[in-house]
Amino acid sequence: MDRKILVAYASQYGATQEIAEKIGGVLGQAGLQADVFPVDRVRDLTPYQAVILGSGVYIGQWNKEAAAFLQANEKALADRRVWLFSSGPTGSGDPVELLNGWRLPAALQPVADRIQPRDIAVFHGYINPDKLNFIQKWVIKTIVKKPFGDFRDWDTIAAWTTTVAAELKDAEPVR
Ligand SMILES: Cc1cc2nc3c(=O)[nH]c(=O)nc-3n(C[C@H](O)[C@H](O)[C@H](O)COP(=O)(O)O)c2cc1C
């Protein structure tokens, strides 16, 4: 295991991908070496001392690739420092409050409890109506009940990543 950091993401329309790229950029500015990859391109966690894993939220769930990655790599993740994030709610206000306290799909909580992530963050997301079909727009209006638009808060994402970087720089390799 070396000192690299993996930022892995699942993103349907690019919002979470851009957040992952921002996280990778901030880690790089902090002098850390980060790879930013979609989860389905990651085969082996051996090169990484830490993993930041994020997904867009769809009807209260993570993308299935991100959920599968978390479950399939539970053992390797439990041996590493892990941070999780979701890119979801639109609208102003604290993103966790916008989701009534939701941080992670309930089905993933047991695996998260075993992995013991350092943090589970929720960031504002981006719902671009131009990319959605009629049914998806209907789901947003009637089930998700959140506004369309780009509510990603880059300062919050950068500040969160700075705290992650500080923890990583202070820490010795796990093994
Ligand atoms: C069909 C649909 C369902 C969604 N469901 C939720 C939801 O349940 N909770 C939420 O906070 N955001 C929800 N969103 C918003 C997305 O999570 C948000 O736009 C996210 O940033 C998208 O990331 P991505 O482009 O990387 O997939 C939904 C968006 C769509 C299109």
Side-chain angles (χ1 to χ4, degrees):
M1 201 188 289
D2 71 19
R3 306 280 297 157
K4 273 205 300 183
I5 297 141
L6 173 67
V7 185
Y9 63 87
S11 179
Q12 283 194 29
Y13 298 102
T16 313
Q17 177 179 352
E18 288 173 2
I19 292 172
E21 285 164 356
K22 174 74 177 178
I23 291 170
V26 173
L27 292 175
Q29 282 163 9
L32 295 162
Q33 201 190 340
D35 288 342
V36 182
F37 290 135
V39 276
D40 49 12
R41 272 193 51 202
V42 181
R43 294 279 168 269
D44 179 14
L45 294 181
T46 310
Y48 303 106
Q49 58 132 334
V51 177
I52 302 173
L53 172 65
S55 175
V57 184
Y58 287 85
I59 325 277
Q61 301 301 319
W62 268 19
N63 280 295
K64 63 179 186 317
E65 295 84 3
F69 180 89
L70 189 73
Q71 285 159 333
N73 292 285
E74 176 185 324
K75 197 172 173 311
L77 291 169
D79 283 346
R80 288 163 173 78
R81 293 177 194 87
V82 171
W83 284 261
L84 304 178
F85 72 92
S86 299
S87 132
T90 52
S92 48
D94 179 82
V96 176
E97 281 176 24
L98 288 171
L99 296 179
N100 301 316
W102 182 101
R103 281 185 179 271
L104 200 63
L108 297 179
Q109 196 57 56
V111 67
D113 289 343
R114 292 190 291 272
I115 290 169
Q116 293 279 305
R118 304 286 157 135
D119 190 26
I120 304 176
V122 179
F123 298 128
H124 287 99
Y126 178 18
I127 308 177
N128 181 351
D130 297 341
K131 292 190 177 176
L132 303 182
N133 63 31
F134 173 78
I135 294 169
Q136 291 166 316
K137 284 189 214 171
W138 179 86
V139 166
I140 297 297
K141 282 181 190 154
T142 59
I143 298 174
V144 178
K145 293 184 177 146
K146 296 278 186 293
F148 296 120
D150 187 359
F151 289 78
R152 291 171 297 173
D153 179 344
W154 299 110
D155 289 345
T156 295
I157 293 162
W160 180 82
T161 310
T162 301
T163 65
V164 172
E167 253 193 78
L168 285 166
K169 284 167 117 179
D170 283 350
E172 290 300 308
V174 174
R175 60 175 63 97

